[in-house]
Amino acid sequence: MKKTKTNTSYLEVTLQDKTGQIKGRMFKHRPFKTYAKIEKNTVWNIVGKIQEFPTESGRFNILIESMNPTTNYNEEDFIRKVEDYDKHVEFLFNTIETIENIHLKKLLKEFFNDEEFKNNFLTAPAAKIHHHNYKGGLLVHTNEVIKICQTITYIYNKINYDLLITGAILHDIGKIETYDYETENIEMKYEGIMLDHLFIGANMIENRIKKIDAPKKLKIQLIHMILSHHGDTSLGWGSAVSPKTPEALALHHADDMSAKITSSLENK
C-alpha cells in the first residue's frame, strides 16, 4: 500500500508471467480489501488499461480496475524457460575445453565437475529484477558475456584469451548463493544482501584455487576481475576495486553490454 501526493491510499503490485514483469496500480474499489487477499506466487485475473507514466518516459504500468484470484490458468504461461537450453549448456562446456592454460582449466573443472555447483549454476537466475531474471538466466547471461569477450579477443589479440574467458565464465558465480529461486519468485538470500555476489564469487574462487596450486599472480588477476567487473568504483555499481587490467576492463564492458542490451530488448 502506498500514498499519493494528496495522501490517498492506493495499491501497487508487481505482476509477472513468463513474458516479464509490469507494475499494476489500483486506486479505486477498496484497495485495502484486495491487498489483504494477496499472496505471492498466486494467479489473478486483472482488468485494467495500460498507461505510460510519466508521459513519453517509456515506462508502462497497468491502471487496475479490478483483480480477482483464479485457479483457471495454464501453468506454462507463468514459468519462463530458457530457449535452446541444451545448446546453451553445450556451448558453455565446449568453451571450457578451449582454455589452454593448465591452471585455469583445472580451476574450471574443479567447479563444473562438482555436480551440486553445476546444477546450481545451470538453474540460477542472473538477477532479481534487472536482467535475465528467471531460472537459467545466469547460464544465458554468462554465454552472452563469453561471446562478447571472444569477439574482443579477436579484435585485440594481445588480451589474454584464457584469462578473459575464464573470468567471463566465473564472473557471476556468486549469484548461485545470492538468490533464493526455489519458486518462480526470486528473492535475495541473507548472504546476498549482506555480502553481494562479487565478494561471494571472489571467495568461492579463492577457496577452489587453493586446491590446484595456481601461480599467485594468476590468482590475483582472476580475483581482481571478479571484484571489478561492475566497473570503476566511482560508478557506484558495487565494484570493490576499479578495473586495472585490459582483461578486467573488457569483462566489465562485456557484462554491462549483456545486461543493458538484454533489458532494452525485453522492454522494447
Side-chain angles (χ1 to χ4, degrees), residues 14-22 78-82 123-142 144 172 175 179-181 183-188 258-259 262-264 266-267:
T14 300
L15 306 169
Q16 176 176 303
D17 63 13
K18 72 178 182 181
T19 67
Q21 294 181 339
I22 190 169
F78 296 90
I79 299 176
R80 186 169 182 181
K81 295 181 179 179
V82 177
T123 58
K128 175 177 168 62
I129 297 172
H130 301 293
H131 67 95
H132 303 89
N133 55 328
Y134 51 88
K135 287 184 180 180
L138 178 59
L139 171 63
V140 176
H141 169 59
T142 298
E144 289 176 3
D172 269 350
K175 289 185 174 180
Y179 301 112
D180 180 0
Y181 47 95
T183 68
E184 292 304 305
N185 187 57
I186 301 168
E187 296 290 353
M188 294 284 288
S258 170
T262 296
S263 295
S264 178
E266 290 182 347
N267 294 326

Side-chain angles (χ1 to χ4, degrees), residues 58-256:
R59 294 161 58 185
F60 295 89
N61 62 77
I62 299 177
L63 185 60
I64 298 172
E65 291 293 329
S66 66
M67 54 185 294
N68 296 287
T70 181
T71 57
N72 183 23
Y73 63 90
N74 183 353
E75 191 175 69
E76 291 298 310
D77 292 336
F78 296 90
I79 299 176
R80 186 169 182 181
K81 295 181 179 179
V82 177
E83 295 182 13
D84 298 323
Y85 173 80
D86 291 339
K87 289 184 179 179
H88 277 288
V89 174
E90 181 182 14
F91 175 80
L92 175 66
F93 286 100
N94 284 344
T95 300
I96 291 174
E97 294 305 317
T98 68
I99 303 300
E100 295 181 355
N101 181 285
I102 187 171
H103 302 291
L104 294 175
K105 181 168 275 189
K106 279 184 178 179
L107 178 62
L108 291 169
K109 298 285 189 179
E110 180 68 30
F111 276 108
F112 286 96
N113 285 345
D114 180 333
E115 286 297 317
E116 182 179 4
F117 171 86
K118 181 176 75 172
N119 291 335
N120 287 339
F121 183 92
L122 297 179
T123 58
K128 175 177 168 62
I129 297 172
H130 301 293
H131 67 95
H132 303 89
N133 55 328
Y134 51 88
K135 287 184 180 180
L138 178 59
L139 171 63
V140 176
H141 169 59
T142 298
N143 283 349
E144 289 176 3
V145 174
I146 290 170
K147 291 174 183 177
I148 296 168
C149 286
Q150 287 174 333
T151 302
I152 290 171
T153 62
Y154 177 78
I155 299 169
Y156 301 101
N157 56 22
K158 290 184 179 180
I159 282 182
N160 186 323
Y161 174 92
D162 285 356
L163 181 59
L164 178 56
I165 300 305
T166 300
I169 294 169
L170 299 178
H171 79 283
D172 269 350
I173 57 173
K175 289 185 174 180
I176 70 174
E177 299 296 339
T178 299
Y179 301 112
D180 180 0
Y181 47 95
E182 290 300 316
T183 68
E184 292 304 305
N185 187 57
I186 301 168
E187 296 290 353
M188 294 284 288
K189 289 184 178 179
Y190 182 70
E191 299 97 304
I193 295 170
M194 298 299 289
L195 301 177
D196 191 73
H197 73 279
L198 278 76
F199 173 83
I200 295 170
N203 192 49
M204 291 168 72
I205 291 173
E206 175 79 32
N207 290 336
R208 299 254 184 177
I209 208 167
K210 291 176 183 176
K211 300 178 182 180
I212 63 169
D213 194 29
K216 183 177 181 181
K217 184 177 180 180
L218 184 65
K219 180 185 80 171
I220 291 172
Q221 288 175 327
L222 181 60
I223 292 176
H224 169 73
M225 292 170 69
I226 306 305
L227 292 175
S228 66
H229 80 262
H230 278 192
D232 196 283
T233 55
S234 65
L235 295 172
W237 294 348
S239 286
V241 61
S242 298
K244 292 180 170 62
T245 65
E247 292 78 17
L249 191 61
L251 177 61
H252 159 58
H253 286 294
D255 175 61
D256 193 47

